[in-house]
Amino acid sequence: MFVSFLALLAAIILFLKKGWKKKNGVLDILVGCKPDTGISSNDTNTSEDNGLLVLCEDYVSAVRIACLGHDALPMFGTQLSDATLQGIIGKYDRFLVALDNDNRMVRASARQLVTRINLFGKECKNARLCKDPKRYGDSELRRLLFDGT
């Protein structure tokens, strides 16, 4: 348990050390950075991956996803407010919901979120993970989230 805490702490420190930044001050969208340099190539309103935003439950999971080079938004739970949805819907073309699906309520929230985003005519998929993104290794997380996206 202590080792996994240290790994998470190291990921956060690495995130901060590489000079990564939030896409804007209101929403905590973490800009995906290239893993080798930490330099973001998507300082404009669209991400380097054709406008993909990954929605996850917590900040550490968002950091892990941003470490893989994709923009991420921690929702601090399983719900997304209408104001937050309006803030992101015009900035991204595609969305990926990456919740841990550990109980019935989380699965229902993920399905509801996919439906809400699809109603805006945007592409949205549910990753159907068994655990939080922060608990996967880089290669496994990349395979589960982005292969075939």
Side-chain angles (χ1 to χ4, degrees):
M1 185 69 174
F2 183 71
V3 174
S4 61
F5 171 75
L6 288 177
L8 294 175
L9 185 61
I12 292 171
I13 290 171
L14 185 65
F15 175 81
L16 295 173
K17 183 179 178 184
K18 288 185 175 182
W20 293 9
K21 60 186 176 234
K22 296 178 186 179
K23 191 159 266 191
N24 65 38
V26 179
L27 300 174
D28 280 341
I29 297 174
L30 303 180
V31 177
C33 294
K34 295 178 182 177
D36 53 342
T37 63
I39 298 170
S40 175
S41 64
N42 54 355
D43 286 333
T44 63
N45 283 340
T46 59
S47 73
E48 65 184 353
D49 194 290
N50 298 325
L52 175 67
L53 178 65
V54 181
L55 305 169
C56 55
E57 290 182 66
D58 60 273
Y59 211 88
V60 177
S61 292
V63 169
R64 292 280 295 119
I65 292 165
C67 285
L68 298 177
H70 298 275
D71 291 3
L73 174 66
M75 296 186 298
F76 301 106
T78 60
Q79 301 295 319
L80 191 65
S81 71
D82 291 339
T84 302
L85 182 59
Q86 274 195 312
I88 62 174
I89 205 73
K91 295 181 174 147
Y92 292 91
D93 298 325
R94 299 182 305 135
F95 296 86
L96 181 63
V97 178
L99 306 183
D100 60 14
N101 293 313
D102 58 356
N103 65 52
R104 191 172 45 133
M105 297 302 289
V106 174
R107 288 189 295 272
S109 292
R111 285 190 306 270
Q112 178 187 27
L113 189 54
V114 168
T115 301
R116 283 176 70 198
I117 293 172
N118 285 336
L119 287 174
F120 285 92
K122 302 289 183 169
E123 179 185 344
C124 185
K125 294 182 181 176
N126 186 0
R128 294 187 181 99
L129 301 175
C130 295
K131 51 189 176 180
D132 282 325
K134 65 187 172 199
R135 304 212 182 268
Y136 289 102
D138 284 352
S139 60
E140 189 177 17
L141 185 59
R142 194 175 286 114
R143 180 183 56 79
L144 289 169
L145 292 179
F146 307 116
D147 283 358
T149 334

